[in-house]
Amino acid sequence: MTDPADATTTPTAEDLRERALTTLVTARERTTLLTGSVDGPDLTAQVSPLMSPLVWDLAHIGNQEEQWLLRAVAGQEAIRPEIDSLYDAFEHPRSERPSLPLLSPEEARRYAADVRGRALDVLERTAFEGTRLTEAGFAFGMIAQHEQQHDETMLITHQLRRGPQVLTAPDPGPVPLFTGPAEVLVPGGPFTMGTSTEPWALDNERPAHRREVAPYFIDTVPVTNGAYQAFIDDGGYDDPRWWTPRGWDHVRRHSLTAPLFWRRDGGQWLRRRFGVTEAVPAVEPVLHVCWYEADAYARWAGRRLPTEAEWEKAARWDPAGERAMRYPWGDADPGPEHANLGQRHLRPAPAGSYPAGESPLGVRQLIGDVWEWTSSDFAPYPGFRAFPYREYSEVFFGPDYKVLRGGSFAVDAVACRGTFRNWDYPIRRQIFSGFRTARSAEEAA
């Protein structure tokens, strides 16, 4: 059982430089789209206490880039040290950020552009060796991933904002209605979870280690809106049998009756999506459900959420080669034929899409479309070591956070792979979250 990156060709310095440049430019183009598609008031407003003003994200992106690429990698003096605390995510919770003396939109744009120009000069001069930050261009990959993660956060802000549509993208192409098997058997036994060699993997993905799982069945595709409507129609939100005690309390206190952004109009369910109201498409994976809702649906269906290890084995295990792959389709980077990523579309693709992205076991859409809740708490792997700072992962470990896997249509490929781990509170619904269910093979015996 080997880490798949062991078998890949070692990239040259120029290969690494080109990859770093491409990912940094791609991220900045997306940031520019997300912050340039609205005017000043919408940049500085806080649309929800759960989110930062867009202008905070913009300057924070620049500040993180300055701290890690200009200061840590290049050893340069701080450009504006007085703003470090303003854009420290741990010093100021999101609810407080609108009251801070933030940079104006124009100041934030100039600052981020200044930092980027200097960072590209650093990239040209950096030798990709010598320190853990510079090895294989890790620091540049970390910053590209950080910016793309904030781009996803800003896209969530766009979804939460009220007002007319400002973002557009083509819909995923039509696909035949999926008629394959509802579930796939994943054989029991050991597999390699996590990675020790993926060059831009973050600390919580490391190290690679052996995991053993019992045989289980997992849904071939994510749970759809149509399937979730059956849970609603059957009184799922009114029956405490399907909910954990905390989940039932949350449903009652917040009067939840459907996924976020849904509303019933007569006999039809409608949803609001980036400023447009439309009928809920039955064939798309369900979106904007919290962990408690996903868990309740699974119980109602006589199933359960997969563990994080079960999700990763379904996504990476190649039984023919007896190895863990980088992605469900193999070790090649994602292409548009494999998955719905990078804000290429502003919605999930219909369930059963992307047959080229299918895993060797026959599971589809494990990467892209919707983040998938698992049953697992966010915890370190055996041998975990925080790098380059504790606040990226370590401070979040524990039972308060549940793990999501697989990415969504809002995730860029640089921040999404078979080992990538996301986490959030089980009450969160504004994120682009869905799920699939599983059951133990012994239950079918």
Side-chain angles (χ1 to χ4, degrees), residues 26-107:
T26 298
R28 187 52 49 87
E29 289 175 345
R30 186 177 176 196
T31 300
T32 301
L33 171 65
L34 290 164
T35 57
S37 56
V38 291
D39 59 18
D42 277 337
L43 281 171
T44 57
Q46 185 179 49
V47 301
S48 163
L50 297 175
M51 311 305 293
S52 306
L54 292 174
V55 72
W56 186 93
D57 285 291
L58 175 58
H60 171 77
I61 286 168
N63 188 249
Q64 284 290 106
E65 187 167 326
E66 182 195 349
Q67 291 195 44
W68 289 104
L69 300 188
L70 304 190
R71 301 184 204 174
V73 171
Q76 296 180 10
E77 293 294 320
I79 299 173
R80 297 192 64 170
E82 76 280 4
I83 69 171
D84 286 355
S85 65
L86 295 178
Y87 298 101
D88 185 330
F90 291 90
E91 186 170 339
H92 301 289
R94 288 175 175 173
S95 59
E96 294 179 2
R97 292 171 190 171
S99 64
L100 300 174
L102 303 177
L103 299 182
S104 70
E106 283 309 309
E107 288 176 314

Coordinates of all heavy atoms in Angstrom, one line a residue, residues 26-107:
T26 N -4.8 32.0 -11.4 CA -6.2 31.6 -11.4 C -7.0 32.0 -10.2 O -8.1 32.5 -10.3 CB -6.2 30.0 -11.5 OG1 -5.5 29.6 -12.7 CG2 -7.6 29.5 -11.5
A27 N -6.3 31.9 -9.0 CA -7.0 32.4 -7.8 C -7.3 33.9 -7.9 O -8.4 34.3 -7.5 CB -6.2 32.0 -6.6
R28 N -6.3 34.7 -8.3 CA -6.5 36.1 -8.3 C -7.6 36.5 -9.3 O -8.4 37.5 -9.1 CB -5.2 36.8 -8.6 CG -5.3 38.3 -8.4 CD -5.9 38.8 -7.1 NE -5.4 38.1 -5.9 CZ -4.3 38.6 -5.3 NH1 -3.7 39.7 -5.7 NH2 -3.9 37.9 -4.2
E29 N -7.7 35.8 -10.4 CA -8.7 36.1 -11.4 C -10.1 35.9 -10.8 O -11.0 36.7 -11.0 CB -8.5 35.3 -12.7 CG -7.3 35.7 -13.5 CD -7.1 34.8 -14.7 OE1 -7.6 33.7 -14.7 OE2 -6.3 35.2 -15.6
R30 N -10.2 34.8 -10.1 CA -11.5 34.5 -9.4 C -11.8 35.6 -8.3 O -13.0 36.0 -8.2 CB -11.5 33.1 -8.9 CG -12.8 32.7 -8.3 CD -12.8 31.3 -7.8 NE -14.0 30.9 -7.2 CZ -14.2 29.8 -6.5 NH1 -13.2 29.0 -6.2 NH2 -15.4 29.5 -5.9
T31 N -10.8 35.9 -7.5 CA -11.0 36.9 -6.5 C -11.5 38.2 -7.1 O -12.4 38.9 -6.6 CB -9.7 37.2 -5.7 OG1 -9.3 36.0 -5.1 CG2 -9.9 38.3 -4.7
T32 N -10.9 38.6 -8.2 CA -11.3 39.8 -8.9 C -12.7 39.8 -9.4 O -13.4 40.8 -9.3 CB -10.3 40.1 -10.1 OG1 -9.0 40.2 -9.6 CG2 -10.7 41.4 -10.9
L33 N -13.1 38.6 -9.9 CA -14.5 38.5 -10.4 C -15.5 38.6 -9.2 O -16.5 39.3 -9.3 CB -14.7 37.1 -11.0 CG -16.1 36.7 -11.3 CD1 -16.7 37.6 -12.4 CD2 -16.2 35.2 -11.8
L34 N -15.2 38.0 -8.1 CA -16.1 38.0 -7.0 C -16.2 39.4 -6.3 O -17.2 39.7 -5.7 CB -15.6 36.9 -5.9 CG -15.8 35.5 -6.4 CD1 -15.0 34.5 -5.5 CD2 -17.3 35.1 -6.4
T35 N -15.1 40.1 -6.3 CA -15.1 41.4 -5.6 C -15.4 42.6 -6.6 O -15.7 43.7 -6.2 CB -13.8 41.7 -4.9 OG1 -12.7 41.6 -5.9 CG2 -13.5 40.7 -3.8
G36 N -15.2 42.3 -7.9 CA -15.5 43.3 -8.9 C -16.9 43.3 -9.5 O -17.3 44.2 -10.2
S37 N -17.7 42.3 -9.1 CA -19.0 42.1 -9.7 C -20.1 42.9 -8.8 O -21.3 42.9 -9.2 CB -19.4 40.6 -9.7 OG -19.3 40.0 -8.5
V38 N -19.6 43.5 -7.7 CA -20.6 44.3 -6.9 C -19.9 45.6 -6.6 O -18.7 45.8 -6.7 CB -20.9 43.5 -5.5 CG1 -21.7 42.3 -5.8 CG2 -19.6 43.2 -4.8
D39 N -20.7 46.6 -6.2 CA -20.2 47.9 -6.0 C -19.8 48.1 -4.5 O -19.8 47.2 -3.7 CB -21.2 49.0 -6.4 CG -22.6 48.9 -5.6 OD1 -22.6 48.2 -4.5 OD2 -23.6 49.4 -6.0
G40 N -19.3 49.4 -4.2 CA -18.8 49.7 -2.9 C -19.6 49.2 -1.7 O -19.1 48.5 -0.8
P41 N -20.9 49.6 -1.6 CA -21.7 49.2 -0.5 C -21.8 47.7 -0.3 O -21.8 47.2 0.8 CB -23.1 49.8 -0.8 CG -22.8 51.0 -1.7 CD -21.6 50.6 -2.5
D42 N -21.9 47.0 -1.4 CA -22.0 45.5 -1.3 C -20.6 44.9 -0.9 O -20.6 43.8 -0.3 CB -22.4 44.9 -2.6 CG -24.0 44.9 -2.7 OD1 -24.6 44.9 -1.6 OD2 -24.5 44.8 -3.8
L43 N -19.5 45.6 -1.1 CA -18.2 45.1 -0.7 C -18.0 45.3 0.8 O -17.3 44.5 1.4 CB -17.1 45.9 -1.5 CG -16.8 45.4 -2.9 CD1 -15.9 46.4 -3.6 CD2 -16.2 44.0 -2.9
T44 N -18.5 46.4 1.3 CA -18.3 46.7 2.7 C -19.4 46.2 3.7 O -19.2 46.2 4.9 CB -18.1 48.2 2.9 OG1 -19.3 48.9 2.4 CG2 -16.9 48.8 2.1
A45 N -20.5 45.8 3.1 CA -21.6 45.4 3.9 C -21.4 44.0 4.4 O -20.7 43.2 3.8 CB -22.9 45.4 3.2
Q46 N -22.0 43.7 5.6 CA -22.0 42.3 6.1 C -23.3 41.7 5.9 O -24.3 42.1 6.5 CB -21.6 42.3 7.6 CG -21.5 40.8 8.1 CD -21.1 40.8 9.6 OE1 -21.7 41.5 10.4 NE2 -20.1 40.0 9.9
V47 N -23.4 40.7 5.0 CA -24.8 40.2 4.6 C -25.3 39.2 5.7 O -26.5 38.9 5.7 CB -24.7 39.5 3.2 CG1 -24.3 40.5 2.2 CG2 -23.8 38.3 3.2
S48 N -24.4 38.7 6.5 CA -24.7 37.8 7.6 C -23.7 37.8 8.6 O -22.5 37.9 8.3 CB -24.9 36.3 7.0 OG -24.8 35.4 8.0
P49 N -24.0 37.7 9.9 CA -23.0 37.6 10.9 C -22.1 36.4 10.8 O -21.0 36.4 11.4 CB -23.8 37.6 12.2 CG -25.1 37.1 11.9 CD -25.4 37.6 10.5
L50 N -22.5 35.4 10.0 CA -21.6 34.3 9.7 C -20.5 34.6 8.7 O -19.6 33.7 8.6 CB -22.5 33.1 9.2 CG -23.6 32.6 10.1 CD1 -24.4 31.5 9.3 CD2 -22.9 32.0 11.3
M51 N -20.6 35.7 8.0 CA -19.6 36.0 6.9 C -19.0 37.3 7.2 O -19.5 38.2 7.8 CB -20.4 36.0 5.6 CG -21.3 34.8 5.3 SD -20.5 33.2 5.5 CE -19.3 33.3 4.1
S52 N -17.8 37.5 6.6 CA -17.1 38.7 6.6 C -17.6 39.6 5.5 O -18.1 39.1 4.5 CB -15.6 38.5 6.4 OG -15.1 37.6 7.3
P53 N -17.4 40.9 5.6 CA -17.6 41.8 4.4 C -16.6 41.4 3.3 O -15.5 41.0 3.6 CB -17.3 43.2 4.9 CG -17.4 43.1 6.4 CD -17.0 41.7 6.8
L54 N -17.0 41.4 2.1 CA -16.1 41.0 1.0 C -14.8 41.7 1.0 O -13.7 41.2 0.7 CB -16.8 41.2 -0.4 CG -18.0 40.3 -0.7 CD1 -18.6 40.7 -2.0 CD2 -17.6 38.8 -0.7
V55 N -14.8 43.0 1.4 CA -13.6 43.8 1.4 C -12.6 43.3 2.5 O -11.4 43.4 2.3 CB -13.9 45.3 1.6 CG1 -14.3 45.6 3.1 CG2 -12.7 46.2 1.2
W56 N -13.1 42.7 3.6 CA -12.2 42.1 4.6 C -11.5 40.9 3.9 O -10.3 40.7 4.1 CB -13.0 41.6 5.8 CG -12.1 41.1 6.9 CD1 -11.6 41.9 7.9 CD2 -11.6 39.8 7.1 NE1 -10.7 41.1 8.7 CE2 -10.7 39.8 8.2 CE3 -11.7 38.6 6.4 CZ2 -10.1 38.7 8.7 CZ3 -11.0 37.5 6.8 CH2 -10.2 37.5 7.9
D57 N -12.2 40.0 3.3 CA -11.6 38.8 2.6 C -10.5 39.3 1.6 O -9.5 38.7 1.6 CB -12.7 38.0 1.9 CG -13.6 37.2 2.8 OD1 -13.0 36.3 3.4 OD2 -14.7 37.5 2.9
L58 N -10.8 40.3 0.9 CA -9.9 40.8 -0.1 C -8.5 41.2 0.5 O -7.5 40.8 0.1 CB -10.5 41.9 -0.9 CG -9.6 42.6 -2.0 CD1 -9.1 41.6 -3.0 CD2 -10.3 43.8 -2.6
A59 N -8.6 42.0 1.5 CA -7.4 42.5 2.2 C -6.7 41.3 3.0 O -5.5 41.2 3.1 CB -7.6 43.7 3.1
H60 N -7.5 40.4 3.6 CA -7.0 39.3 4.3 C -6.2 38.4 3.4 O -5.1 37.9 3.7 CB -8.1 38.5 4.9 CG -7.7 37.2 5.5 ND1 -7.0 37.1 6.7 CD2 -7.8 35.9 5.1 CE1 -6.8 35.8 7.0 NE2 -7.3 35.1 6.0
I61 N -6.7 38.2 2.1 CA -5.9 37.4 1.2 C -4.6 38.0 0.9 O -3.5 37.3 0.9 CB -6.8 37.3 -0.2 CG1 -7.9 36.4 0.0 CG2 -5.9 36.9 -1.3 CD1 -9.0 36.4 -1.1
G62 N -4.5 39.3 0.7 CA -3.3 40.0 0.5 C -2.3 39.9 1.7 O -1.1 39.7 1.6
N63 N -2.9 40.1 2.9 CA -2.1 40.0 4.1 C -1.5 38.7 4.3 O -0.3 38.6 4.7 CB -3.0 40.5 5.3 CG -2.1 40.7 6.5 OD1 -2.2 39.9 7.5 ND2 -1.3 41.7 6.6
Q64 N -2.2 37.6 4.1 CA -1.7 36.3 4.3 C -0.6 36.0 3.2 O 0.5 35.4 3.6 CB -2.8 35.2 4.1 CG -3.7 35.1 5.3 CD -3.0 34.5 6.5 OE1 -2.7 35.1 7.4 NE2 -2.8 33.2 6.4
E65 N -0.8 36.5 2.0 CA 0.2 36.4 1.0 C 1.5 37.1 1.4 O 2.6 36.6 1.2 CB -0.3 36.9 -0.3 CG 0.6 36.6 -1.5 CD -0.1 36.8 -2.9 OE1 -1.3 36.5 -2.9 OE2 0.6 37.2 -3.8
E66 N 1.3 38.3 1.9 CA 2.5 39.1 2.4 C 3.2 38.4 3.5 O 4.5 38.3 3.4 CB 2.1 40.5 2.8 CG 3.3 41.3 3.2 CD 2.9 42.6 4.1 OE1 1.8 42.9 4.1 OE2 3.9 43.1 4.6
Q67 N 2.5 37.9 4.5 CA 3.2 37.3 5.6 C 3.9 36.0 5.2 O 5.0 35.8 5.8 CB 2.1 36.9 6.7 CG 1.5 38.2 7.4 CD 0.8 37.9 8.6 OE1 1.3 37.1 9.5 NE2 -0.4 38.4 8.8
W68 N 3.4 35.2 4.4 CA 4.1 33.9 4.1 C 5.0 34.0 2.9 O 6.1 33.4 2.9 CB 3.0 32.9 3.8 CG 2.3 32.5 5.1 CD1 1.1 32.9 5.5 CD2 2.9 31.8 6.2 NE1 0.8 32.4 6.8 CE2 1.9 31.7 7.2 CE3 4.1 31.1 6.4 CZ2 2.2 31.1 8.4 CZ3 4.4 30.5 7.6 CH2 3.4 30.5 8.6
L69 N 4.7 34.7 1.8 CA 5.6 34.7 0.7 C 6.6 35.8 0.8 O 7.8 35.6 0.4 CB 4.8 34.9 -0.6 CG 3.8 33.7 -0.9 CD1 3.2 33.9 -2.3 CD2 4.4 32.4 -0.7
L70 N 6.2 37.0 1.2 CA 7.2 38.1 1.3 C 8.0 38.1 2.5 O 9.3 38.2 2.5 CB 6.5 39.5 1.2 CG 5.6 39.7 -0.1 CD1 5.2 41.2 -0.2 CD2 6.3 39.2 -1.4
R71 N 7.4 37.8 3.7 CA 8.1 37.9 4.9 C 8.8 36.5 5.2 O 10.0 36.4 5.4 CB 7.2 38.3 6.1 CG 6.6 39.6 5.9 CD 5.8 40.0 7.1 NE 4.7 41.0 6.8 CZ 3.8 41.4 7.7 NH1 3.8 40.9 8.9 NH2 2.9 42.2 7.4
A72 N 8.0 35.4 5.3 CA 8.5 34.1 5.7 C 9.5 33.5 4.6 O 10.6 33.0 5.0 CB 7.4 33.2 6.0
V73 N 9.1 33.6 3.3 CA 9.9 33.0 2.3 C 11.1 33.9 1.9 O 12.2 33.5 1.9 CB 9.1 32.6 1.1 CG1 10.0 32.2 -0.1 CG2 8.1 31.5 1.4
A74 N 10.8 35.2 1.6 CA 11.8 36.1 1.1 C 12.5 36.9 2.2 O 13.5 37.6 1.9 CB 11.2 37.0 0.1
G75 N 12.0 36.9 3.4 CA 12.6 37.7 4.5 C 12.5 39.2 4.3 O 13.3 39.9 4.8
Q76 N 11.5 39.6 3.7 CA 11.3 41.1 3.4 C 10.6 41.7 4.7 O 10.0 41.1 5.4 CB 10.4 41.3 2.2 CG 11.1 40.8 0.9 CD 10.2 41.1 -0.3 OE1 9.2 41.8 -0.2 NE2 10.6 40.5 -1.4
E77 N 10.8 43.0 4.8 CA 10.2 43.8 5.8 C 8.7 43.9 5.5 O 8.3 43.9 4.3 CB 10.8 45.2 5.9 CG 12.2 45.2 6.4 CD 12.4 44.8 7.8 OE1 11.5 45.2 8.6 OE2 13.3 44.0 8.1
A78 N 7.9 44.1 6.6 CA 6.4 44.2 6.4 C 6.1 45.5 5.6 O 6.7 46.5 5.8 CB 5.8 44.2 7.8
I79 N 5.1 45.4 4.7 CA 4.7 46.6 4.0 C 3.8 47.4 4.9 O 4.0 48.6 5.0 CB 3.9 46.1 2.8 CG1 4.7 45.3 1.8 CG2 3.3 47.3 2.0 CD1 4.0 44.7 0.6
R80 N 2.8 46.8 5.5 CA 1.9 47.6 6.4 C 1.7 46.7 7.7 O 0.6 46.1 7.9 CB 0.6 47.8 5.7 CG 0.7 48.7 4.5 CD -0.6 49.2 4.0 NE -1.3 50.1 4.9 CZ -2.4 50.8 4.7 NH1 -2.9 50.8 3.5 NH2 -2.9 51.6 5.6
P81 N 2.6 46.7 8.6 CA 2.5 45.9 9.8 C 1.3 46.3 10.7 O 0.8 45.5 11.4 CB 3.8 46.1 10.5 CG 4.4 47.4 10.0 CD 3.9 47.4 8.6
E82 N 0.9 47.5 10.5 CA -0.2 48.0 11.4 C -1.5 47.4 11.1 O -2.5 47.4 11.9 CB -0.3 49.5 11.3 CG -1.0 50.1 10.0 CD -0.1 50.1 8.8 OE1 1.0 49.7 8.9 OE2 -0.6 50.6 7.7
I83 N -1.7 46.7 9.9 CA -3.0 46.1 9.6 C -3.0 44.6 9.9 O -4.0 43.9 9.7 CB -3.3 46.3 8.1 CG1 -2.4 45.5 7.2 CG2 -3.4 47.8 7.7 CD1 -2.9 45.5 5.7
D84 N -1.9 44.0 10.3 CA -1.8 42.6 10.6 C -3.0 42.1 11.5 O -3.7 41.1 11.3 CB -0.5 42.2 11.2 CG 0.6 42.2 10.2 OD1 0.4 42.4 9.0 OD2 1.8 41.9 10.6
S85 N -3.2 42.9 12.6 CA -4.2 42.4 13.6 C -5.6 42.6 13.0 O -6.5 41.8 13.4 CB -4.0 43.3 14.9 OG -4.3 44.6 14.7
L86 N -5.8 43.6 12.1 CA -7.2 43.7 11.6 C -7.6 42.5 10.7 O -8.8 42.2 10.7 CB -7.2 45.0 10.7 CG -7.0 46.3 11.3 CD1 -7.0 47.4 10.2 CD2 -8.0 46.6 12.4
Y87 N -6.6 41.9 10.1 CA -6.9 40.8 9.2 C -6.5 39.4 9.8 O -6.3 38.5 9.0 CB -6.3 41.1 7.8 CG -6.9 42.3 7.3 CD1 -6.2 43.5 7.3 CD2 -8.2 42.3 6.7 CE1 -6.8 44.7 6.8 CE2 -8.8 43.5 6.2 CZ -8.1 44.7 6.3 OH -8.7 45.8 5.8
D88 N -6.4 39.4 11.1 CA -6.1 38.1 11.8 C -7.4 37.5 12.1 O -8.2 38.0 12.9 CB -5.3 38.4 13.1 CG -4.9 37.1 13.8 OD1 -5.6 36.1 13.7 OD2 -3.8 37.2 14.5
A89 N -7.7 36.3 11.4 CA -9.0 35.7 11.6 C -9.3 35.2 13.0 O -10.4 35.0 13.4 CB -9.1 34.5 10.6
F90 N -8.2 35.0 13.8 CA -8.4 34.4 15.1 C -8.5 35.6 16.2 O -9.0 35.3 17.2 CB -7.2 33.5 15.5 CG -7.3 32.2 14.7 CD1 -6.6 32.1 13.5 CD2 -8.0 31.2 15.1 CE1 -6.7 31.0 12.7 CE2 -8.1 30.0 14.4 CZ -7.5 29.9 13.2
E91 N -8.1 36.7 15.8 CA -8.2 37.9 16.7 C -9.6 38.5 16.7 O -10.1 39.0 17.7 CB -7.1 38.9 16.4 CG -7.1 40.0 17.4 CD -5.8 40.9 17.3 OE1 -4.8 40.4 16.7 OE2 -5.9 42.1 17.7
H92 N -10.2 38.5 15.5 CA -11.5 39.1 15.3 C -12.5 38.2 14.6 O -12.3 37.8 13.5 CB -11.3 40.4 14.4 CG -10.4 41.4 14.9 ND1 -10.7 42.2 16.0 CD2 -9.1 41.8 14.5 CE1 -9.7 43.0 16.3 NE2 -8.7 42.7 15.4
P93 N -13.5 37.7 15.4 CA -14.5 36.9 14.8 C -15.3 37.6 13.7 O -15.3 38.9 13.7 CB -15.4 36.5 15.9 CG -15.2 37.5 17.0 CD -13.7 38.0 16.8
R94 N -15.9 36.9 12.8 CA -16.6 37.5 11.7 C -17.6 38.6 12.1 O -17.7 39.6 11.4 CB -17.2 36.5 10.8 CG -16.2 35.6 10.0 CD -16.9 34.5 9.3 NE -15.9 33.7 8.5 CZ -16.2 32.6 7.8 NH1 -17.4 32.1 7.9 NH2 -15.3 32.0 7.1
S95 N -18.3 38.3 13.2 CA -19.3 39.3 13.6 C -18.8 40.6 13.9 O -19.5 41.7 13.8 CB -20.1 38.7 14.8 OG -19.2 38.5 15.9
E96 N -17.5 40.7 14.3 CA -16.9 42.0 14.7 C -16.2 42.8 13.5 O -16.0 43.9 13.6 CB -15.8 41.7 15.7 CG -16.2 41.2 17.1 CD -15.1 41.0 18.0 OE1 -13.9 41.3 17.6 OE2 -15.3 40.5 19.1
R97 N -16.0 42.1 12.4 CA -15.1 42.7 11.4 C -15.7 43.9 10.7 O -14.9 44.8 10.4 CB -14.8 41.6 10.3 CG -13.9 40.5 10.9 CD -13.7 39.3 10.0 NE -13.1 38.2 10.7 CZ -12.9 37.0 10.3 NH1 -13.4 36.7 9.1 NH2 -12.3 36.1 11.0
P98 N -17.0 44.1 10.6 CA -17.5 45.3 10.0 C -17.2 46.6 10.8 O -17.2 47.7 10.3 CB -19.0 45.1 9.9 CG -19.2 43.6 9.9 CD -18.1 43.1 10.8
S99 N -17.0 46.4 12.1 CA -16.7 47.6 13.0 C -15.3 47.9 13.0 O -14.9 49.0 13.6 CB -17.3 47.3 14.4 OG -16.5 46.2 15.0
L100 N -14.4 47.2 12.4 CA -13.0 47.5 12.4 C -12.6 48.6 11.4 O -13.3 48.8 10.4 CB -12.2 46.2 12.1 CG -12.4 45.0 13.0 CD1 -11.6 43.8 12.5 CD2 -11.9 45.4 14.4
P101 N -11.5 49.3 11.6 CA -11.1 50.3 10.6 C -10.4 49.7 9.4 O -9.2 49.8 9.2 CB -10.1 51.2 11.4 CG -9.6 50.2 12.5 CD -10.7 49.3 12.8
L102 N -11.2 49.0 8.6 CA -10.7 48.2 7.5 C -10.3 49.1 6.3 O -10.7 50.3 6.2 CB -11.8 47.3 7.0 CG -12.4 46.3 8.0 CD1 -13.5 45.5 7.3 CD2 -11.3 45.4 8.5
L103 N -9.4 48.6 5.5 CA -9.0 49.3 4.3 C -10.3 49.5 3.4 O -11.1 48.6 3.4 CB -8.0 48.5 3.5 CG -6.6 48.3 4.2 CD1 -5.7 47.5 3.3 CD2 -6.0 49.5 4.7
S104 N -10.4 50.6 2.7 CA -11.4 50.8 1.8 C -11.3 49.8 0.6 O -10.2 49.2 0.4 CB -11.4 52.2 1.3 OG -10.3 52.4 0.4
P105 N -12.3 49.6 -0.2 CA -12.2 48.7 -1.4 C -11.0 49.1 -2.2 O -10.3 48.2 -2.7 CB -13.5 48.9 -2.1 CG -14.5 49.2 -1.0 CD -13.7 50.1 0.0
E106 N -10.8 50.4 -2.5 CA -9.7 50.8 -3.4 C -8.3 50.5 -2.7 O -7.4 50.0 -3.3 CB -9.8 52.2 -3.8 CG -10.8 52.4 -4.9 CD -10.6 51.5 -6.1 OE1 -9.5 51.4 -6.6 OE2 -11.6 50.8 -6.5
E107 N -8.3 50.8 -1.4 CA -7.0 50.6 -0.7 C -6.7 49.1 -0.6 O -5.6 48.6 -0.8 CB -7.1 51.1 0.7 CG -7.1 52.6 0.9 CD -7.3 53.1 2.3 OE1 -8.3 52.5 2.9 OE2 -6.5 53.9 2.8

